[in-house]
């Protein structure tokens, strides 16, 4: 299927980053798995490994600390909160969050790349005077955009650093997207949102976007539609700007 965007209906497009514009969703998932599996295998008896279903249900689209809390709650494990000064080997929410961040840093430095159609779509949006924002829960969003060369097309970025500073709740709460729209000075009814996370699609629906576009395939595409996406595309190469 092909999807057309028009400045007649839209003033802005807001994008999640990982798994929408860049290949970094898989890098984050691998870092989460490394972090959680090491912890789970130390339990007695050892618990089942972290799965892709766990990633999509409890972690994808959320701030690191919220992902840790949600996943362990699903396994009936209570961890102390700890503090931001906790080392990465501390068995606390803050310690495991730091451990995951360290695990993903090397992957991001070496393997970040734009996904199919991302650069062309951002260029086309700018040519059509449709404003572009990235709204990502990742604290590494700025570094990834710079490493992939997509930063020159993005006018507004709201990321995990902003979320922590402003104490914005994680998706599916729409606070992150509303902050991006406020900075863009665009009403949600004049904007489209692109998301690959179930929580992100739900947040886009709650925020009142004109168009909520999911990015995914197979069963995940069906889950995005169920979460509220108006349509789902396999990648951004099928999106055109009129």
């Amino acid at each position: 299927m092909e999807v057309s965007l028009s400045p007649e209906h839209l003033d802005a497009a807001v994008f999640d980053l990982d798994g929408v514009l860049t290949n970094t969703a898989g890098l984050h998932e691998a870092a989460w798995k490394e972090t959680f599996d090491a912890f789970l295998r130390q339990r007695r008896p050892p618990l089942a490994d972290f799965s892709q279903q766990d990633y999509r249900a409890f972690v994808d689209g959320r701030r690191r600390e919220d992902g840790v809390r949600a996943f362990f709650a699903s396994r009936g494990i209570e961890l102390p909160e700890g503090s931001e000064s906790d080392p990465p080997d501390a068995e606390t929410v803050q310690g495991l969050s730091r451990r995951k961040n360290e695990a993903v840093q090397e992957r991001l430095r070496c393997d970040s790349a734009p996904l199919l159609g991302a650069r062309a779509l951002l260029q086309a949006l700018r040519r059509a005077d449709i404003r572009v924002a990235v709204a990502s829960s990742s604290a590494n969003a700025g570094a990834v955009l710079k490493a992939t060369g997509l930063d020159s097309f993005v006018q507004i970025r709201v990321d995990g650093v902003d979320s922590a500073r402003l104490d914005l709740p994680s998706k599916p709460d729409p606070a992150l997207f509303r902050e991006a729209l406020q900075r863009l000075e665009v009403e949600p009814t004049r904007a489209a949102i692109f998301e690959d996370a179930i929580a992100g699609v739900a947040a886009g629906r709650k925020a009142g976007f004109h168009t909520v576009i999911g990015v995914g395939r197979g069963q995940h595409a069906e889950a995005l539609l169920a979460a509220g996406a108006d349509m789902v595309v396999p990648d951004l190469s099928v999106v055109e700007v009129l």
Side-chain angles (χ1 to χ4, degrees):
M1 67 175 295
E2 290 190 355
V3 175
S4 299
L5 304 179
S6 170
E8 179 181 353
H9 302 112
L10 300 175
D11 295 321
V14 180
F15 294 83
D16 182 34
L17 181 65
D18 304 316
V20 175
L21 292 175
T22 66
N23 68 339
T24 43
L27 307 183
H28 281 281
E29 183 177 346
W32 278 117
K33 183 169 179 58
E34 176 185 321
T35 301
F36 284 142
D37 283 355
F39 179 92
L40 295 169
R41 291 169 185 173
Q42 292 174 356
R43 308 288 288 187
R44 293 293 178 268
L47 298 177
D49 286 353
F50 181 74
S51 68
Q52 186 175 70
Q53 290 71 30
D54 290 325
Y55 175 75
R56 289 175 173 169
F58 306 115
V59 173
D60 193 16
R62 292 179 168 88
R63 289 166 53 183
R64 282 196 302 271
E65 294 84 357
D66 290 336
V68 172
R69 296 183 192 105
F71 172 66
F72 281 118
S74 76
R75 296 294 182 93
I77 299 172
E78 292 187 13
L79 284 182
E81 185 67 23
S83 70
E84 293 183 1
S85 62
D86 283 359
D89 59 349
E91 293 190 350
T92 63
V93 170
Q94 296 295 331
L96 284 168
S97 298
R98 175 168 291 187
R99 190 185 309 179
K100 182 269 172 179
N101 193 46
E102 291 188 356
V104 82
Q105 288 297 322
E106 185 62 29
R107 291 176 169 90
L108 292 175
R109 281 193 293 270
C110 298
D111 298 324
S112 298
L115 286 172
L116 182 64
R119 187 183 303 276
L121 178 56
L122 295 184
Q123 288 175 324
L125 289 167
R126 294 299 302 271
R127 285 196 298 267
D129 291 326
I130 296 176
R131 306 195 74 198
V132 173
V134 165
S136 169
S137 301
S138 173
N140 301 298
V144 171
L145 285 169
K146 185 175 182 179
T148 56
L150 298 180
D151 57 326
S152 61
F153 306 112
V154 177
Q155 292 157 299
I156 295 294
R157 185 185 83 242
V158 185
D159 59 21
V161 176
D162 296 300
S163 292
R165 178 174 57 83
L166 299 172
D167 195 26
L168 301 178
S170 290
K171 307 169 192 175
D173 190 286
L176 187 74
F177 295 154
R178 287 176 174 159
E179 178 68 22
L181 289 168
Q182 182 177 341
R183 295 186 190 185
L184 286 168
E185 299 181 338
V186 172
E187 292 297 319
T189 53
R190 293 287 301 176
I193 178 75
F194 291 81
E195 257 287 358
D196 74 318
I198 294 169
V201 163
R205 188 81 283 149
K206 291 178 183 178
F209 278 88
H210 177 276
T211 309
V212 179
I213 302 173
V215 181
R217 300 172 185 267
Q219 290 184 342
H220 187 51
E222 295 174 8
L224 294 173
L225 287 170
D230 294 304
M231 63 197 76
V232 177
V233 298
D235 56 63
L236 300 183
S237 68
V238 301
V239 183
E240 63 175 358
V241 181
L242 300 178

